[in-house]
Amino acid sequence: GNSVTQMEGPVTLSEEAFLTINCTYTATGYPSLFWYVQYPGEGLQLLLKATKADDKGSNKGFEATYRKETTSFHLEKGSVQVSDSAVYFCALSANFNDYKLSFGAGTTVTVRA
Amino acid sequence: NAGVTQTPKFRVLKTGQSMTLLCAQDMNHEYMYWYRQDPGMGLRLIHYSVGEGTTAKGEVPDGYNVSRLKKQNFLLGLESAAPSQTSVYFCASSYLPGLGANEQFFGPGTRLTVL
């Protein structure tokens, strides 16, 4: 079946540091890939997505590239802020039209001033 | 627009008690979902609905029931709560397939503790 594996946290960084969160997936066919973010006390919200190989999703300074050859979708941000402190979830759907999402365990990121 | 709302925000139950969690969305989405979030396990799908009057089991349906009598509402019921159901519950909704169905919109969550 489809599954997502994320790097374990928690991750603690200083402001303006570089952030990488690794995500690898197992899926048949052509999955769509997502990063969701959960700020403290809130529900999840979509951060970015990519629907085919080599697509790059980007939003709020975050980027992730869909790498089919390495089955990866790593999240990166060049200079984090305190407001980026959150839990980040990698997720996939089996294909563009599949409404079911499989989530990773989540990575907690704390950014210190 | 309120988006996806959930009531209540917090609840404490005793083992064996029952309760219903209410989810409402004002985006006219066809699809709705209930997830539970547990530490180190991400989100797991409990039940989902692809339209008014229809429901289906997800990954962890045991001990839960759902109903979708109106398009905008999706109810999650616990008939006899157990400590293993202590969790944070999230409702989500999405459009039809082909219209970005796999982009889901989440509510703020309900934190449930079963003693």
Side-chain angles (χ1 to χ4, degrees):
Chain A
N2 300 330
S3 66
V4 172
T5 302
Q6 285 181 241
M7 64 181 285
E8 293 185 13
V11 174
T12 302
L13 302 166
S14 298
E15 252 187 333
E16 300 184 2
F18 184 86
L19 171 67
T20 299
I21 304 175
N22 290 341
C23 171
T24 57
Y25 67 88
T26 301
T28 55
Y30 303 94
S32 294
L33 300 172
F34 307 83
W35 277 101
Y36 278 81
V37 59
Q38 182 182 25
Y39 298 106
E42 299 182 9
L44 282 71
Q45 53 185 274
L46 181 66
L47 180 59
L48 54 83
K49 67 178 181 180
T51 57
K52 62 183 188 296
D54 299 326
D55 266 2
K56 177 184 283 188
S58 61
N59 187 25
K60 299 182 180 181
F62 290 90
E63 291 183 341
T65 302
Y66 186 159
R67 302 284 189 201
K68 194 167 179 63
E69 64 276 13
T70 55
T71 63
S72 66
F73 192 55
H74 304 323
L75 183 68
E76 297 182 336
K77 186 174 185 182
S79 178
V80 294
Q81 304 300 314
V82 172
S83 57
D84 294 323
S85 298
V87 182
Y88 294 82
F89 293 92
C90 187
L92 71 81
S93 65
N95 56 64
F96 179 76
N97 284 327
D98 190 351
Y99 47 86
K100 294 181 186 176
L101 292 175
S102 298
F103 286 88
T107 302
T108 300
V109 173
T110 302
V111 180
R112 295 181 174 171
Chain B
N1 286 349
V4 180
T5 58
Q6 293 181 232
T7 53
K9 291 189 180 346
F10 302 93
R11 186 73 186 267
V12 178
L13 291 178
K14 294 181 179 179
T15 296
Q17 287 185 319
S18 63
M19 77 163 294
T20 300
L21 283 67
L22 172 63
C23 175
Q25 53 95 3
D26 61 3
M27 296 174 281
N28 202 34
H29 287 166
E30 287 292 332
Y31 289 57
M32 296 187 75
Y33 316 81
W34 275 107
Y35 293 91
R36 58 178 289 172
Q37 182 184 27
D38 301 294
M41 303 187 74
L43 274 72
R44 293 181 291 170
L45 184 64
I46 304 171
H47 286 281
Y48 64 99
S49 167
V50 300
E52 182 178 317
T54 71
T55 62
K57 295 180 180 180
E59 183 185 353
V60 288
D62 294 342
Y64 305 95
N65 57 75
V66 288
S67 64
R68 182 104 181 265
L69 298 180
K70 293 183 179 181
K71 184 177 182 178
Q72 63 268 33
N73 295 337
F74 194 30
L75 278 62
L76 177 72
L78 286 72
E79 290 186 350
S80 180
S84 60
Q85 294 177 304
T86 294
S87 187
V88 180
Y89 292 86
F90 287 101
C91 177
S93 66
S94 70
Y95 293 107
L96 288 167
L99 298 176
N102 42 31
E103 180 171 342
Q104 296 182 12
F105 296 80
F106 285 79
T110 295
R111 184 174 295 275
L112 175 65
T113 302
V114 182
L115 302 175

